[in-house]
Amino acid sequence: RQPVLKARTVLIRRIVVHRYDPPELELSIDCGKGAYIRALARDLAKAIGTCAFVSSLRRTRVGGYRLEQAVRPEAFDPSRDVLPPVRFLADFPGLRCITIEERFRQPVLNGEPFREAWAGESACTEGLCALFGGNGDLLALLERSSGTACYRLVFSGG
């Protein structure tokens, strides 16, 4: 039985043809999240009355991170190559990073209902917020929706 996939809108910013040697086509695609390149190949082929498959696929960028910045597994050094959460999460579009006052650390870690006053002058607007302690440690992920704040994750070690 063939699975039925829901259609979804995705953003394709750019498609560059690097090589066309029938029946092979080599492309670079700059797309937004949720784009399935294999499905795009299928749909493009269908639009011109043929079929296609992806024989090779390489992701060269995710958000602000590029393939050139990647480290080979054998060269990986955690003390050098693991990004601190405050640096890593700052690159997520739409995610607000907030440092709370140290006196509110334990209430957050205890899962007490979040109060806007804990964020000081940095308001946690609608959507997802990362709450950090004063020394840059990730305490929790909080989601605000319709004026209500709800913890999605609380990191017990702080």
Side-chain angles (χ1 to χ4, degrees):
R1 186 172 174 204
Q2 189 78 6
V4 178
L5 302 175
K6 278 193 220 176
R8 67 161 109 188
T9 301
V10 295
L11 175 63
I12 304 294
R13 291 180 199 90
R14 185 171 45 107
I15 298 177
V16 176
V17 176
H18 292 287
R19 183 178 64 82
Y20 181 54
D21 184 14
E24 294 185 359
L25 174 64
E26 185 179 317
L27 304 172
S28 288
I29 301 170
D30 184 359
C31 59
K33 68 179 184 174
Y36 290 101
I37 300 306
R38 294 179 196 282
L40 178 62
R42 177 202 61 213
D43 295 347
L44 288 172
K46 187 176 180 182
I48 61 171
T50 188
C51 59
F53 68 94
V54 175
S55 63
S56 177
L57 180 62
R58 183 172 69 168
R59 184 175 289 211
T60 59
R61 183 176 55 88
V62 176
Y65 300 98
R66 304 187 82 65
L67 183 61
E68 300 82 38
Q69 298 169 289
V71 176
R72 292 194 165 281
E74 62 273 9
F76 182 78
D77 177 0
S79 66
R80 178 194 66 217
D81 298 321
V82 174
L83 295 176
V86 71
R87 165 67 179 89
F88 179 74
L89 293 174
D91 289 336
F92 279 75
L95 177 71
R96 180 95 192 240
C97 294
I98 296 173
T99 300
I100 64 167
E101 294 181 37
E102 198 56 34
R103 62 187 167 130
F104 301 122
R105 168 188 295 276
Q106 208 52 53
V108 167
L109 294 177
N110 291 342
E112 292 181 24
F114 182 76
R115 295 184 183 95
E116 288 303 318
W118 296 356
E121 294 181 20
S122 303
C124 185
T125 56
E126 292 285 302
L128 203 57
C129 301
L131 301 179
F132 290 90
N135 61 357
D137 54 332
L138 179 60
L139 303 175
L141 292 180
L142 181 81
E143 185 172 24
R144 284 193 59 92
S145 178
S146 303
T148 303
C150 179
Y151 293 109
R152 291 297 172 216
L153 288 169
V154 175
F155 299 92
S156 63

